[in-house]
Amino acid sequence: MKTDLSKYNNSWYHPGSGIKRTIWYFINVLFIKNTFNPSSKFRVWLLRAFGAQIGYNVVIKPGVNVKYPWLLEIGNYTWIGENVWIDNLAKVRIGNNVCISQGAMLLCGNHNYKKSTFDLMLGEITLEDGCWIGAKSVVCPKVTVHSHAVLGVASVAHHDLDAYWVYQGNPAIKVRERIVL
């Protein structure tokens, strides 16, 4: 069998009304992703206005891309760096005191390469309190990064990361314990 994208069908997937998604698309491009908008508070306000649950003292740097804010939860004192992509086709939960560094990607969707129709597959992502996602790193669908775990620069988390451990590589492997002083 061969891949046949003409038979691809994700009509079952409804992340929100078409009007809501269209309005969000333009707001996201004009004010969230836009690097000329220096105001983190304004980005937080817009995300909340579109249904994101965001705690207090959250910093969202310019260039961040959020697919669907109504599927996003962020705790208190969390930092989201420049050009982070939150491709939340499913729920993304980000705890308190989390740092997501520049260019990191949280990817809730993938495709089933074993099917000729390349079906869409979804999975939630959870980043627990105190974890750090390094620059240019990727967190894949159905992954939980447990409390205070670290995903090193340019690493890929295909599986859950244990609390208080540092992971590096693709796929990310445990390299050392994280001791927080």
Side-chain angles (χ1 to χ4, degrees):
M1 220 176 197
K2 294 182 180 181
T3 301
D4 184 357
L5 295 179
S6 71
K7 294 185 181 358
Y8 177 77
N9 181 354
N10 70 344
S11 61
W12 56 269
Y13 180 63
H14 299 285
S17 75
I19 292 169
K20 183 178 184 179
R21 286 182 287 135
T22 301
I23 292 169
W24 173 250
Y25 173 83
F26 288 105
I27 295 294
N28 190 39
V29 168
L30 293 171
F31 301 108
I32 307 295
K33 282 178 65 173
N34 188 334
T35 57
F36 293 111
N37 171 19
S39 174
S40 177
K41 289 182 181 189
F42 186 57
R43 279 188 285 282
V44 167
W45 182 84
L46 283 170
L47 287 162
R48 284 180 180 147
F50 275 84
Q53 297 174 25
I54 301 176
Y56 51 88
N57 292 328
V58 170
V59 175
I60 300 176
K61 293 288 192 172
V64 171
N65 185 10
V66 177
K67 182 72 90 179
Y68 301 126
W70 49 92
L71 296 176
L72 180 62
E73 294 177 13
I74 303 173
N76 305 316
Y77 299 103
T78 289
W79 301 345
I80 301 177
E82 290 89 349
N83 302 311
V84 166
W85 184 14
I86 302 175
D87 192 25
N88 57 332
L89 298 170
K91 190 72 146 176
V92 169
R93 292 177 183 85
I94 301 170
N96 301 312
N97 300 295
V98 171
C99 179
I100 305 172
S101 294
Q102 307 88 310
M105 296 192 300
L106 308 180
L107 306 176
C108 291
N110 204 344
H111 294 277
N112 189 342
Y113 65 87
K114 295 177 183 177
K115 290 196 161 196
S116 65
T117 53
F118 211 53
D119 294 351
L120 178 64
M121 301 183 308
L122 303 175
E124 296 182 357
I125 291 175
T126 301
L127 306 180
E128 292 183 353
D129 294 349
C131 70
W132 179 11
I133 307 302
K136 302 286 185 179
S137 291
V138 177
V139 178
C140 294
K142 298 182 183 179
V143 169
T144 296
V145 178
H146 289 282
S147 178
H148 293 82
V150 175
L151 181 62
V153 170
S155 297
V156 180
H158 294 276
H159 55 80
D160 291 356
L161 306 186
D162 293 334
Y164 289 94
W165 281 91
V166 176
Y167 289 78
Q168 292 176 323
N170 181 8
I173 58 170
K174 261 185 201 178
V175 293
R176 74 181 74 68
E177 189 174 4
R178 179 182 186 190
I179 299 168
V180 179
L181 303 175

